[in-house]
Amino acid sequence: MIPNTLPKGLSDNPLLAQWIGFEAGGVVRVATGKVEFGQGILTALAQIAAEELDVAPDSIRLVAGETDGSPQEGTTAGSTSVSGGGAALRLACAEVRALFLDAAADALGARREELAVEDGRILRNGAETGHDYWSLAASVDLRREATGGAPTKRPAEFRVVGTSLPRRDLAEKVVGAAFIHDIAPDGLVHARILRRPRRGARLVGLDEEVIRRRAGAPVGILREGDLVAFTSEDETAVRRALEAAWDHAIWDGGTEIPDDAGAPDFLRALPSRDRVVEEGAAPAATDGDVLEASYSRPYIAHASIGPSTALAEYRDGTLRVWSHSQNVFGLRTWLARALGLRADQVIVHHRQGAGCYGHNPADDVAFDAAFVATRMPGRPVRAQWPRQDELGAEAYGTAGSVSIRAMREGNRPPADWTFEVWSPVHSQRPGSNGVSNFLGAEALPNPEPPPNQLNDTPDAMGGGASRNWLALYDLPHQTLVHHLLDPNPVRTSSLRGLGAFLNVFAIESFVDELAAEAGADPVAYRLGMMSDRRARRVIETAAAMAKWDPGAPGGEGTGRGIAFSRYKNTAGYMAVVAEVEVGEAVRFRRAWAAVDAGLVVNVDGASNQVEGGIVQAASWALKEEVRFANGMPATREWDDYPILRFSEVPEIDIRFVGEAHEPPLGLGEVAAGPTAAALANAVAHALGARIRDLPMTRERIMAALLA
């Protein structure tokens, strides 16, 4: 039996051979179900394995995200790759090391305590024995279930964990050889899919003669229902064919998206299913003051710089797919269902693409490639989305509106707090709500019926719209109200942080407003209602890093703001101070961030994660917004959907304050909410007026000043 104390990844995949193997030439095969999409996770996992096995990191061959060779660890999401996947791998490696030491003791007639491992070699009282992992591999059967009983190393023994090893994935990326876009097998067929301009639209006319002529080279036109694919060995030809089809396809009907679909008033008017959660004891009736405010974020695109791409080949009844999906096992299951295959007929290989941090079109384009491949057996097919579809047809990060109401007596912290959020669902990955949710599959004849209702990510899994809605401050009573908006005309799904981005932005902006009403310094006000030791530490550290001045005057065009959160209230802690200069636009000059992620496996990699989160959050807070016109998305090019430029990246100072004896806490998504809130608080300090709706554009700056 597998004890309940094992991490889920290990209890779900209990055979040690699923995780570790020893190959010729001194190579250690380390398998993981977690995948790399820019977060540096494979480097950290290799360090964990190298540490517990006592081998050189360079000897490790990582097998990541292969449905025929990796443990099934679900989606790489939620900032759980180190805290969950790393914990499972650590226990597996420690147990493998212990088994080999037991085998060496038997072979040598030695006491177990006489033996140690160094770079894979077995030492006896510090001397070579002639044995190593590879010489003993035949005598140690790893096709056994993990027990979790082998001791792992103490922090004082670490030699690899806690160091900043170079990223394993960067060298190939620098020379353009690591990405899925670079795979070009012999006999490759290129494919492009004609998207419906509106979900549910019907194709009533297509001038194939004009399209073939415009292509400039032979193209195949594959049509089933309202799904049209153009194929050719010439990539330019399929691109031209698609561009011609945009001009010469006639569509009818479909779900139109109103121009104001992301606006707070529109969202609050949608049908909703409501629930209420109470935390703490309701206060007795009081005549205290009431302060309330509302905040919002629009729909946001994933906006990966490299467009989504996939390859597929259907040969001898087996479909192989190469994808940058964050859930290769889920993709395998739902591709099989959508294409009428058995799951054991589908093999998915993860290959790296442009970073996405959420459900970007990687899964959709994998369906596109797989669909065409099953219609062209024996030929490898490469499908790629054009920029217009990448920005205009994907499942967007969810818009939302929040209202907060606090009651207090005098300048004391709130005695009663009500948080209310209006939001559509935050996850429609393949399998969510029991459907494949492939955009291409929806256009086929007799598509699978949509679910009767959409459900958001459960609170037990971190929540969707409810992620981080519970304020971590010492508030005696919180009422939390979730208005789940369904149906919603806009296709939505996971984007980095899910609801935490809006919720932390709202909570931390509102705390600043409470501090201002109380005539208190924002840092002191937060500390005055925070007892969590680790939360206090990051707030105090960030303020000290920035040389926070409690009496700094506002309304003079430059400002500073602070914000804090603990991601999901279970993962990493972060406080950040933002410094801005506000003219016609907001210039984000500098950020100081204090992070407590417990044990940090690779400090440089962790810094990369936090820095990237700060930059992305700044882009969302200051620039990004999906707009709609004529019933469909209107932001389909970079000119319509600007993102933060390299010249606009602030100077960033990061300090990790966690302790090595504390378990690792996820930090991939710690930065988004606090950064947006710190920017909003800094802008309010600079202007003497507050912007509560994102993004903080020139128009909103002017409106705030005029108000």
Side-chain angles (χ1 to χ4, degrees):
M1 296 293 291
I2 299 299
N4 293 330
T5 54
L6 286 181
K8 187 176 187 303
L10 196 53
S11 61
D12 288 348
N13 306 274
L15 295 183
L16 294 172
Q18 293 177 277
W19 300 84
I20 307 297
F22 298 96
E23 303 175 343
V27 174
V28 185
R29 175 186 58 81
V30 174
T32 175
K34 300 302 181 181
V35 300
E36 179 71 61
F37 46 89
Q39 76 277 45
I41 194 61
L42 296 190
T43 304
L45 293 176
Q47 288 179 248
I48 291 170
E51 188 69 76
E52 293 299 333
L53 289 170
D54 278 315
V55 298
D58 290 345
S59 70
I60 290 176
R61 181 178 74 86
L62 272 171
V63 179
E66 303 279 345
T67 61
D68 59 348
S70 297
Q72 211 293 43
E73 294 189 84
T75 307
T76 304
S79 298
T80 60
S81 293
V82 169
S83 59
L89 182 60
R90 184 185 188 197
L91 284 177
C93 290
E95 190 153 349
V96 168
R97 180 179 180 277
L99 290 170
F100 273 82
L101 284 172
D102 289 342
D106 290 342
L108 295 167
R111 297 192 310 275
R112 174 69 163 70
E113 56 268 23
E114 294 180 287
L115 303 181
V117 182
E118 183 176 301
D119 200 14
R121 306 186 314 278
I122 309 298
L123 306 182
R124 183 177 187 179
N125 296 323
E128 299 284 353
T129 65
H131 289 289
D132 57 26
Y133 283 134
W134 297 270
S135 66
L136 294 168
S139 63
V140 180
D141 187 2
L142 296 181
R143 292 172 298 175
R144 66 175 76 191
E145 293 190 353
T147 66
T152 56
K153 287 188 177 180
R154 299 185 302 272
E157 300 173 289
F158 290 161
R159 294 185 295 178
V160 180
V161 166
T163 64
S164 293
L165 293 189
R167 286 269 293 268
R168 297 172 68 94
D169 56 319
L170 287 187
E172 286 188 317
K173 288 177 177 175
V174 169
V175 298
F179 292 108
I180 192 168
H181 309 75
D182 304 313
I183 303 174
D186 292 339
L188 184 64
V189 173
H190 296 277
R192 295 291 186 275
I193 304 297
L194 176 63
R195 296 278 160 231
R196 299 185 292 181
R198 296 170 297 279
R199 295 182 81 181
R202 303 303 306 272
L203 182 61
V204 296
L206 186 67
D207 194 330
E208 295 188 10
E209 181 180 346
V210 170
I211 291 169
R212 294 182 191 278
R213 188 166 62 246
R214 288 262 299 271
V219 294
I221 301 178
L222 172 63
R223 178 177 177 182
E224 294 188 20
D226 299 305
L227 179 62
V228 180
F230 304 106
T231 62
S232 176
E233 295 181 0
D234 185 333
E235 186 173 11
T236 301
V238 292
R239 178 177 57 79
R240 289 173 175 167
L242 179 60
E243 291 170 353
W246 290 339
D247 297 331
H248 293 88
I250 302 172
W251 300 92
D252 182 55
T255 300
E256 297 212 352
I257 303 174
D259 291 1
D260 62 344
D265 288 346
F266 177 87
L267 293 171
R268 294 185 182 214
L270 287 173
S272 69
R273 301 194 307 279
D274 304 337
R275 66 187 176 106
V276 179
V277 176
E278 298 277 344
E279 290 284 338
T286 178
D287 295 328
D289 297 327
V290 173
L291 183 69
E292 51 191 330
S294 296
Y295 308 86
S296 74
R297 61 165 270 187
Y299 291 105
I300 302 175
H302 290 82
S304 300
I305 292 176
S308 296
T309 304
L311 288 87
E313 184 177 43
Y314 186 61
R315 186 183 296 272
D316 300 328
T318 296
L319 174 66
R320 288 187 177 271
V321 178
W322 292 262
S323 170
H324 51 111
S325 169
Q326 289 180 225
N327 186 359
V328 293
F329 287 92
L331 179 60
R332 176 188 64 179
T333 298
W334 290 95
L335 280 178
R337 295 195 190 188
L339 295 170
L341 302 172
R342 301 187 313 274
D344 62 6
Q345 290 180 272
V346 182
I347 299 171
V348 180
H349 307 278
H350 185 268
R351 293 297 182 267
Q352 294 181 45
C356 60
Y357 295 97
H359 179 202
N360 77 345
D363 297 295
D364 285 320
V365 75
F367 172 84
D368 297 343
F371 166 78
V372 175
T374 56
R375 274 64 176 173
M376 302 180 69
R379 297 292 300 274
V381 174
R382 178 182 183 275
Q384 180 171 300
W385 277 33
R387 177 60 54 197
Q388 292 88 336
D389 286 350
E390 189 79 17
L391 288 175
E394 69 144 353
Y396 295 122
T398 306
S401 178
V402 163
S403 287
I404 306 178
R405 180 180 184 272
M407 183 182 67
R408 64 182 185 179
E409 294 183 5
N411 292 333
R412 286 184 288 181
D416 196 28
W417 173 285
T418 300
F419 182 101
E420 203 164 356
V421 58
W422 290 259
S423 173
V425 297
H426 278 262
S427 183
Q428 295 191 70
R429 295 180 187 273
S432 297
N433 295 287
V435 294
S436 68
N437 194 37
F438 297 124
L439 200 57
E442 293 178 5
L444 290 174
N446 303 312
E448 61 183 330
N452 291 329
Q453 65 180 34
L454 297 176
N455 295 309
D456 210 6
T457 304
D459 291 348
M461 296 176 62
S466 62
R467 185 162 296 186
N468 275 98
W469 68 343
L470 179 69
L472 200 61
Y473 295 101
D474 301 330
L475 302 172
H477 180 244
Q478 297 187 54
T479 302
L480 309 166
V481 185
H482 180 193
H483 304 279
L484 177 59
L485 309 181
D486 179 39
N488 169 45
V490 180
R491 184 183 185 226
T492 61
S493 198
S494 306
L495 181 61
R496 192 177 197 176
L498 281 68
F501 176 66
L502 171 60
N503 295 342
V504 173
F505 162 70
I507 290 169
E508 288 295 295
S509 294
F510 192 67
V511 168
D512 246 45
E513 296 196 52
L514 287 171
E517 287 287 325
D521 170 64
V523 172
Y525 190 81
R526 284 171 169 81
L527 294 174
M529 54 180 185
M530 176 63 72
S531 58
D532 186 309
R533 174 184 61 85
R534 298 172 77 172
R536 292 180 63 89
R537 181 168 58 189
V538 294
I539 293 170
E540 290 168 342
T541 302
M545 291 167 65
K547 296 181 173 59
W548 181 267
D549 179 4
E556 298 182 357
T558 60
R560 286 184 171 189
I562 190 167
F564 152 83
S565 80
R566 183 183 186 189
Y567 182 56
K568 295 192 289 189
N569 287 351
T570 58
Y573 296 79
M574 176 169 157
V576 59
V577 174
E579 181 178 272
V580 302
E581 179 181 330
V582 183
E584 291 189 354
V586 178
R587 180 187 168 211
F588 188 5
R589 299 200 306 198
R590 191 163 182 182
W592 296 266
V595 181
D596 181 352
L599 170 65
V600 176
V601 175
N602 185 308
V603 177
D604 186 58
S607 295
N608 292 163
Q609 277 280 73
V610 176
E611 289 169 359
I614 289 172
V615 170
Q616 186 171 43
S619 187
W620 292 346
L622 301 178
K623 291 178 176 288
E624 297 187 40
E625 179 178 13
V626 175
R627 298 188 307 277
F628 304 94
N630 302 315
M632 63 189 75
T635 44
R636 293 179 175 268
E637 302 281 359
W638 291 124
D639 288 345
D640 306 320
Y641 191 89
I643 61 176
L644 203 72
R645 296 176 177 270
F646 288 109
S647 60
E648 297 171 307
V649 172
E651 183 179 348
I652 300 173
D653 186 8
I654 296 170
R655 185 175 302 170
F656 292 99
V657 299
E659 299 173 13
H661 65 83
E662 294 166 335
L665 298 174
L667 55 74
E669 295 159 285
V670 298
T675 299
L679 279 167
N681 293 337
V683 168
H685 183 222
L687 294 179
R690 181 165 292 274
I691 299 173
R692 298 188 180 95
D693 300 302
L694 298 178
M696 291 180 282
T697 59
R698 178 181 183 276
E699 292 74 18
R700 288 194 168 120
I701 292 170
M702 297 305 298
L705 289 173
L706 290 173

